[in-house]
Every structure is written in structure tokens, then in C-alpha cells.
């Protein structure tokens, strides 16, 4: 119908100035207008985000329309929207900018020309195009944070932070994670949030079952004074829980607060790519990695000392040797101790040595393990580089307590963890 109306209108163009054809042309123009608006609002306007069509467009479209083409084909020749000057403004002075763009010389740029009545369609016969608008310039910028992932990416985490000055509360909202890379096909992730340098306490999200793209939408609160706020660092650890209830670290995000502007009315929404565990810098006095296992049938506690890293040696030379002393305590009383072999001249020694201690199950609530890293120089007394204690709630908190409890909950399984060394305990 639209094609036929256009053809009839083209044949009537020479007679537009005749009063005989005025009513006939008006009816056709109105029909074309309604059909045209309905058609292009579906095929064209949704893509270009244009919401109105001026009747001034019609004469220029009639001149380029071909019977064998659809309206979509005509519009596909140019994605731009033409601006047209009606004949009533033809007498003004215009300066050519390009072939199809004009500007009025010495005119008020904010002046809006007065258009004639809508029924005077014959006055549009001499209208011509003065410029175009590119709809692509007015689109909102696309958020590519969920689509652009660099090669080797192991996941991405979104969160927001806000600080309430009056109550001295740091509000942390855990929003979502995307593109997690678990060791198996399925993934049931959760997140632990630390406010460093406090490594003993943390807040934990709920576990999201069987998804690589969890949506958390959970809020957490840390109490911290405004004086100490900028010295703190947020740390997010993303874990996966497998069918055997083992926790696998998928990655971590570290976010220092020292360069952030945190006020009551300034809520920051941030995303960061996950980093692997081995990218974490060593602690102040170094770290030690070991495994724990308890056999409830034999009543035997097993410790596997694996390695240490970032040790602060007093004298770096081949004459310096580093070893680990593992001691079993009960009610803070010494029971038994064992030592690893010494590794010469390395701040990152590797041991892989296993020790076993006799410990009845009833003693696990009062027993604890102390692992001391010592440096010895020939002819001198051994120097303590750092120590870590793992045990029940009576003696420990944070990662150390968590490691001990996981060992008890998983009898006969080796539970491996890294721990930060402390210089004195």
C-alpha cells in the first residue's frame, strides 16, 4: 500500500501547485505519513534511538524512492537523518559548507523558524536538505566490563564501598563475580572479605551453587576509625567448594583504601580482575606453607612442612642455614618437638618433610602446634625469623583457627595452607 501511494504521489508532483489536486494530495500525504511512521518506527527508529519524524522528510524521500525497493532499503542508504529547510526560508543568506550542509549567515543560532500550518503541504515542494544528524553520536557508551576479558583472565569481581563518618563504619557491598575458572566443570563459589592488616578476622558471603557467574548482592560492615581508614586494605578471596566440601582458592582482589575519597554521599562501585594466590607479596616476616592431618582411629597428628618464602635473613650467604622447628603443646606446656633439615642460604626454602605426633582425640581442644622458622650461623645461637601457632579457639583466631578446625572436620585428609609468620607471640 505504501509503495502504491508513493507512486501516485510522484505522478502528482508537477500538479502540487494546482488547487484541484490539493485535497487529493493532502489525503495521500496523510496516508503516507501514518503508514510511513508505523513502518520506520519498527525498522529504523529503534536502532537509531530517534523518537519523532517531521513531515518535511517526505518530499526528499519521495524523490529517492523506487517502486522495486522497500522503505528499509531506502533508509539503509544512509543511517543519518536529514534536516530540511522549507521554501519559506529559501530567501535567507546561506553559506555552503559541504554539498548538503548550509548555515545561515548572521543569524541568531537560537532562533526557531516559524513553520506554516500542517495543512499547507503544497508549500513543501521546494524544500531541500541542509544537513544530517548521526544517531550513533547520541548513544550511551556501552559497558564492556562484562564482555571484555583479557586473555588468561581467571574471573572478575564487582563490589562497592562507602564510609559513614558519623558512625565510623565502612560499608562494603559484594555485588557479583563473572567468568570464574574452577578446577572442575561445576562451581559453587563464596567470598571471604578481610580488612588488612587484620588477617585474623573476616566476613564471608553465602555460597552460590553451580554457577560461574554468581550474583551475591550482600552487604558487610567493618568498624574502623576515620584516622585508620586510609591505612587499611580490603582483600577479597574467592573460593570454590567441591562435592567433598573442600575449599579451592580461585583468586583474590586486593584494594588499598589510601587513595580513595570516601564520604557519606560518595559510593564507589568498582570491579577488579582476580589474581592468583602466588601473586600475593610475602608478609612482613615471610610466610610458611604446611599441611595438617589427623587420624582419629590411630590418634595421630601429622604435619607436612612444605616451604617458606620471603624470609628476612640477617645475613644472606651460603653460611646461613634455615630450618623449621615443629612443637606440640598442651595447655601451653611443651610435649614434643621435631626439626626439619637445614636449607642453606635461601630466603625461600623448600622442605617437604613429614612429622607425626601422638595426640588423643580428647586432647585436641587443649593442644596446639607451634612452627618456628630459625636461622643458624655456624658458631652462633639460632635466631628466630618468625613463628605461627595453629590450634583451637583457646589459642588462635583467623586463618590459624580455620586451618585447625578444617583438619578436625576432614579426618585422614591433608589440609594445606599458607600462614604469615609473626616475629613474637
Amino acid at each position: 500500500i505504501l509503495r502504491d501511494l508513493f507512486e501516485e504521489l510522484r505522478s502528482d508532483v508537477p500538479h502540487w501547485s494546482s488547487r484541484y489536486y490539493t485535497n487529493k494530495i493532502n489525503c495521500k500525504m496523510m496516508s503516507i505519513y501514518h503508514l510511513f511512521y508505523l513502518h520506520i518506527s519498527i525498522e529504523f527508529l529503534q536502532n537509531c534511538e530517534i523518537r519523532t519524524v517531521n513531515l518535511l522528510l517526505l518530499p526528499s524521500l519521495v524523490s529517492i524512492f523506487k517502486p522495486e525497493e522497500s522503505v528499509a532499503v531506502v533508509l539503509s542508504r544512509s543511517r543519518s537523518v536529514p534536516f530540511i529547510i522549507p521554501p519559506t526560508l529559501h530567501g535567507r543568506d546561506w553559506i555552503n559548507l559541504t554539498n548538503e550542509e548550509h548555515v545561515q549567515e548572521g543569524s541568531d543560532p537560537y532562533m526557531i523558524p516559524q513553520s506554516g500550518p500542517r495543512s499547507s503541504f503544497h508549500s513543501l515542494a521546494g524544500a531541500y536538505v541542509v544537513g544530517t544528524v548521526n544517531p550513533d553520536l547520541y548513544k550511551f557508551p556501552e559497558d564492556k566490563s562484562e564482555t571484555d576479558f583479557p586473555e588468561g583472565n581467571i574471573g572478575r569481581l564487582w563490589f562497592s564501598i562507602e564510609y559513614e563518618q558519623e558512625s565510623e563504619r565502612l560499608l562494603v557491598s559484594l555485588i557479583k563475580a563473572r567468568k570464574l575458572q574452577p578446577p572442575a566443570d561445576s562451581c559453587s563459589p563464596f567470598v571471604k572479605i578481610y580488612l588488612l592488616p587484620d588477617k585474623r578476622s573476616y566476613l564471608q558471603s553465602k555460597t552460590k551453587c553451580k554457577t560461574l557467574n554468581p550474583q551475591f548482592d550482600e552487604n558487610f560492615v567493618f568498624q574502623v576509625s576515620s584516622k585508620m581508614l586510609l591505612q587499611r586494605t580490603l582483600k577479597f578471596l574467592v573460593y570454590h567448594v567441591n562435592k567433598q566440601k573442600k575449599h579451592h582458592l580461585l583468586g583474590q582482589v586486593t584494594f588499598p583504601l589510601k587513595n580513595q575519597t570516601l564520604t557519606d554521599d560518595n559510593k564507589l562501585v568498582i570491579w577488579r580482575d582476580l589474581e592468583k594466590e602466588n601473586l600475593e607479596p610475602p608478609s612482613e616476616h615471610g610466610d610458611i606453607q604446611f599441611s595438617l592431618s589427623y587420624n582419629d582411629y590411630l590418634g595421630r597428628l601429622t604435619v607436612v612442612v612444605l616451604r617458606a618464602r620471603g624470609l628476612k635473613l640477617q645475613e644472606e650467604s651460603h653460611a646461613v642455614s634455615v630450618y623449621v622447628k615443629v612443637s606440640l603443646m598442651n595447655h601451653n606446656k611443651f610435649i614434643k618437638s621435631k626439626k626439619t633439615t637445614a636449607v642453606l642460604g635461601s630466603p625461600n626454602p623448600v622442605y617437604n618433610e613429614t612429622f607425626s605426633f601422638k595426640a588423643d582425640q580428647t586432647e585436641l581442644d587443649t593442644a596446639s602446634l607451634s612452627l618456628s622458622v630459625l636461622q643458624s650461623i655456624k658458631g652462633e645461637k639460632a635466631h628466630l625469623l618468625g613463628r605461627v601457632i595453629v590450634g583451637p579457639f583457646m589459642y588462635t583466631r583467623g586463618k590459624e583457627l580455620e586451618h585447625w578446625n578444617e583438619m578436625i572436620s576432614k579426618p585422614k585428609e591433608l589440609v594445606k595452607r599458607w600462614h604469615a609468620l609473626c616475629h613474637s607471640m
Side-chain angles (χ1 to χ4, degrees):
I1 296 173
L2 189 58
R3 184 182 293 110
D4 292 339
L5 286 170
F6 264 111
E7 277 301 296
E8 291 181 18
L9 190 60
R10 288 183 64 191
S11 64
D12 291 335
V13 167
H15 307 288
W16 278 24
S17 60
S18 172
R19 293 184 179 181
Y20 176 81
Y21 286 92
T22 299
N23 293 333
K24 181 179 178 181
I25 292 173
N26 285 350
C27 293
K28 290 180 182 178
M29 290 287 284
M30 290 302 296
S31 300
I32 290 174
Y33 173 78
H34 293 303
L35 288 171
F36 178 79
Y37 186 87
L38 177 64
H39 193 76
I40 64 174
S41 63
I42 297 172
E43 295 192 18
F44 179 73
L45 299 183
Q46 288 180 347
N47 294 330
C48 295
E49 299 184 0
I50 304 297
R51 296 292 178 264
T52 59
V53 174
N54 197 304
L55 280 175
L56 297 173
L57 291 173
L58 293 178
S60 60
L61 287 171
V62 169
S63 63
I64 63 172
F65 189 86
K66 298 178 182 179
E68 64 274 10
E69 294 180 331
S70 66
V71 174
V73 173
V74 173
L75 293 174
S76 67
R77 294 175 186 168
S78 175
R79 299 280 296 186
S80 60
V81 180
F83 277 6
I84 299 174
I85 292 297
T88 55
L89 301 178
H90 284 186
R92 308 289 179 90
D93 296 326
W94 300 91
I95 301 175
N96 270 333
L97 298 179
T98 64
N99 291 338
E100 292 186 351
E101 296 183 358
H102 297 72
V103 65
Q104 186 178 354
E105 186 177 19
S107 63
D108 183 358
Y110 301 100
M111 182 185 67
I112 302 175
Q114 299 295 324
S115 58
R118 288 181 176 269
S119 59
S120 303
F121 292 102
H122 61 278
S123 64
L124 305 179
Y128 60 88
V129 177
V130 295
T132 59
V133 172
N134 184 359
D136 292 334
L137 298 177
Y138 302 93
K139 291 183 178 180
F140 289 102
E142 183 181 357
D143 182 12
K144 296 184 179 181
S145 62
E146 292 197 39
T147 56
D148 289 356
F149 290 85
E151 186 177 355
N153 184 272
I154 60 172
R156 186 167 289 172
L157 187 71
W158 281 258
F159 58 94
S160 69
I161 55 175
E162 184 179 2
Y163 186 69
E164 294 181 349
Q165 297 281 353
E166 186 175 350
S167 58
E168 295 190 329
R169 299 194 310 166
L170 178 65
L171 310 180
V172 180
S173 297
L174 183 63
I175 302 173
K176 61 187 176 182
R178 293 292 183 267
K179 298 283 187 178
L180 298 180
Q181 304 294 323
D185 293 335
S186 63
C187 182
S188 297
F190 70 92
V191 180
K192 292 181 181 179
I193 308 175
Y194 293 84
L195 187 60
L196 303 180
D198 182 8
K199 295 184 177 181
R200 293 180 176 271
S201 58
Y202 62 89
L203 300 176
Q204 182 173 320
S205 73
K206 297 178 181 177
T207 301
K208 301 297 180 178
C209 297
K210 297 181 179 180
T211 176
L212 300 176
N213 304 296
Q215 189 77 28
F216 293 103
D217 294 325
E218 296 184 47
N219 300 316
F220 305 91
V221 178
F222 290 94
Q223 199 73 38
V224 55
S225 67
S226 56
K227 294 181 180 180
M228 298 296 297
L229 180 65
L230 299 183
Q231 303 175 23
R232 298 300 189 96
T233 298
L234 277 172
K235 184 176 181 180
F236 302 83
L237 298 178
V238 183
Y239 288 90
H240 156 64
V241 185
N242 63 14
K243 294 180 180 179
Q244 290 75 36
K245 303 300 181 182
K246 288 185 178 181
H247 297 174
H248 297 274
L249 182 63
L250 300 181
Q252 63 183 10
V253 170
T254 303
F255 187 77
L257 300 177
K258 60 181 180 180
N259 296 323
Q260 305 302 320
T261 303
L262 299 174
T263 58
D264 292 337
D265 56 349
N266 184 27
K267 184 176 183 179
L268 301 178
V269 179
I270 305 127
W271 63 263
R272 290 289 186 272
D273 288 330
L274 298 182
E275 298 178 345
K276 294 182 180 179
E277 182 184 16
N278 57 11
L279 296 179
E280 182 183 4
S283 302
E284 182 180 358
H285 301 289
D287 303 273
I288 184 171
Q289 186 185 42
F290 57 90
S291 298
L292 297 179
S293 178
Y294 183 73
N295 189 320
D296 54 351
Y297 180 75
L298 298 176
R300 188 169 297 275
L301 178 61
T302 301
V303 183
V304 183
V305 181
L306 298 170
R307 59 179 64 84
R309 67 179 182 185
L311 300 179
K312 303 298 186 292
L313 303 180
Q314 281 191 330
E315 183 177 331
E316 294 187 9
S317 68
H318 292 289
V320 176
S321 60
V322 181
Y323 65 93
V324 179
K325 181 180 178 181
V326 185
S327 303
L328 176 65
M329 313 287 288
N330 195 337
H331 286 292
N332 287 329
K333 292 182 180 180
F334 173 80
I335 304 297
K336 193 173 185 179
S337 67
K338 299 181 180 182
K339 299 178 182 180
T340 68
T341 56
V343 176
L344 296 177
S346 173
N348 304 297
V350 179
Y351 298 101
N352 290 323
E353 294 186 39
T354 303
F355 306 99
S356 294
F357 299 91
K358 190 70 176 178
D360 191 82
Q361 193 169 5
T362 58
E363 299 174 349
L364 293 181
D365 289 335
T366 56
S368 63
L369 282 170
S370 172
L371 287 88
S372 303
V373 181
L374 298 112
Q375 169 187 319
S376 65
I377 301 176
K378 190 175 182 180
E380 298 183 13
K381 186 179 178 181
H383 172 72
L384 179 66
L385 297 177
R387 176 186 291 128
V388 61
I389 296 176
V390 291
F393 186 82
M394 183 183 297
Y395 308 108
T396 61
R397 299 289 188 276
K399 288 185 176 182
E400 290 75 23
L401 174 62
E402 186 178 319
H403 197 175
W404 184 265
N405 289 339
E406 190 175 355
M407 174 198 72
I408 296 175
S409 65
K410 300 173 181 178
K412 304 176 185 178
E413 290 184 20
L414 284 172
V415 181
K416 181 172 63 176
R417 291 283 182 91
W418 279 100
H419 293 276
L421 295 172
C422 296
H423 197 268
S424 61
M425 283 185 150

